[in-house]
Amino acid sequence: MRKVGPESGLGADATGASPLSTVVRVRSLLPSLPPAEARVAQRVIDDPEAVASSTITELAQACGTSETTVIRFCRAIGFSGYPELRLTLATEAGRAQGVTGGRVVGSDISADDTLEQIVEKIAFADARAVEETANQLDIQVLGEVVTAIAEARRVDIYGVGASAFVASDFQQKMHRIGRTSYAWSDAHIMLTSAAVLDSSDVAVGISHTGSTVETIDALSVAKRRGATTVALTNFPRSPIADAADLVLTTAARETTFRSGATASRLAQLTVIDCVFVGVAQRTTEISEHLEATLEAVRVRRVRPERRRR
């Protein structure tokens, strides 16, 4: 079983990761941390520059905890201690300033933001979600997922709510290259589909939080049946990971006005596209399949002469 996520690296300098990669990693691990360490994590997420300029005593006091807890937190996210965390956060903050030209566009959307500010913040968040997801994606695990799907008899994809749209998109892509796949969002149908899978099949569960009961239950049944199970989530230590043989992670941040936001779906779709293209490369008749499906819908498009009327 291979489970990975953003916590598998060390600092950004050690991994070559993108700016703010430490904040991305901390955000992904936040739900799995003990309460005291979670307060430190939230402080890092909310104001990484302030943490970078604080002593360990100042940070501990600001979070209402001890210096020992701060050290435990640093080690939990892959650093040797607080000095390494401070240095990395300072470096990443400097890089981020260069990217945004000193403008504060990565903050949460507030009720009194202008429409111009809303557009800028949404565009920034969506673009960063895609970029950071790509930068932290584990290529080895991605390859294992591609191989499993390419060799599978069938692929069943589970997702509810916003994740159901991503599951449907993945199923449609797979169908276009002749791969037998099904996307399910109804809890009962998800369970019954999982119950007939076997070791020649793959089950994919998509959940941003990693705690969607319906998706976890379906993936668990599929795993008990012997199918290879894949989870796509923003939180690598979330409950869905226990039901997965392979875990792929996104790096999206949902904000006050954007629960179930486009950023999380864009991040999921980025990973799905990577998986799809990898599988398509191993499909010998891909050109024939794509041309056949394109031709099938071509007649349903408005012809140029009708648009000129």
Side-chain angles (χ1 to χ4, degrees):
M1 181 181 298
R2 176 141 171 99
K3 296 181 179 179
V4 298
E7 79 274 18
S8 59
L10 295 174
D13 292 335
T15 63
S18 65
L20 295 182
S21 60
T22 299
V23 175
V24 171
R25 184 162 67 253
V26 171
R27 190 183 302 127
S28 73
L29 299 177
L30 178 60
S32 65
L33 295 173
E37 291 179 31
R39 292 198 297 273
V40 181
Q42 193 61 59
R43 180 74 172 176
V44 171
I45 293 169
D46 292 341
D47 198 345
E49 292 185 51
V51 173
S53 62
S54 300
T55 65
I56 189 171
T57 302
E58 291 170 338
L59 179 59
Q61 291 176 345
C63 299
T65 188
S66 65
E67 295 179 13
T68 301
T69 297
V70 174
I71 295 173
R72 281 202 304 267
F73 162 75
C74 294
R75 291 173 178 169
I77 63 170
F79 290 97
S80 60
Y82 187 58
E84 185 183 5
L85 172 64
R86 285 185 66 186
L87 177 60
T88 302
L89 288 175
T91 301
E92 293 174 354
R95 291 173 181 167
Q97 284 289 321
V99 170
T100 64
R103 294 172 296 132
V104 182
V105 295
S107 58
D108 200 351
I109 297 172
S110 63
D112 58 354
D113 277 345
T114 65
L115 282 175
E116 182 179 6
Q117 290 172 319
I118 291 171
V119 169
E120 187 174 30
K121 288 183 178 181
I122 289 176
F124 180 84
D126 289 353
R128 290 296 288 164
V130 171
E131 180 184 356
E132 291 173 345
T133 292
N135 284 333
Q136 59 82 54
L137 194 58
D138 190 300
I139 302 303
Q140 181 176 339
V141 176
L142 178 64
E144 292 178 24
V145 172
V146 167
T147 297
I149 291 177
E151 298 175 353
R153 175 180 67 101
R154 63 182 270 183
V155 179
D156 280 41
I157 310 159
Y158 309 125
V160 300
S163 294
F165 297 108
V166 179
S168 179
D169 178 81
F170 189 24
Q171 187 274 333
Q172 190 269 343
K173 284 183 168 67
M174 294 290 289
H175 187 73
R176 284 203 65 190
I177 59 173
R179 298 285 177 172
T180 302
S181 60
Y182 306 90
W184 310 108
S185 59
D186 178 272
H188 286 194
I189 298 177
M190 289 161 66
L191 291 172
T192 55
S193 81
V196 298
L197 299 181
D198 60 33
S199 59
S200 62
D201 305 317
V202 171
V204 180
I206 302 173
S207 171
H208 174 76
T209 64
S211 57
T212 305
V213 174
E214 294 85 353
T215 306
I216 295 170
D217 287 348
L219 210 61
S220 298
V221 171
K223 185 173 184 176
R224 288 198 297 270
R225 292 288 301 173
T228 299
T229 52
V230 179
L232 175 57
T233 179
N234 206 68
F235 303 99
R237 293 182 186 173
S238 57
I240 200 171
D242 294 331
D245 298 314
L246 299 165
V247 180
L248 294 171
T249 55
T250 56
R253 181 173 70 96
E254 294 187 342
T255 63
T256 304
F257 288 93
R258 308 193 71 211
S259 179
T262 303
S264 60
R265 291 197 294 277
L266 286 174
Q268 291 171 342
L269 288 168
T270 297
V271 178
I272 290 302
D273 278 352
C274 293
V275 173
F276 165 71
V277 172
V279 174
Q281 285 183 324
R282 305 189 188 190
T283 303
T284 56
E285 299 177 342
I286 179 175
S287 297
E288 295 178 22
H289 288 311
L290 290 176
E291 182 60 32
T293 54
L294 178 61
E295 186 62 32
V297 298
R298 195 189 304 274
V299 296
R300 308 306 303 170
R301 297 177 179 174
V302 176
R303 296 178 180 178
E305 58 269 24
R306 289 184 61 184
R307 290 200 297 264
R308 288 197 292 268
R309 294 177 183 176

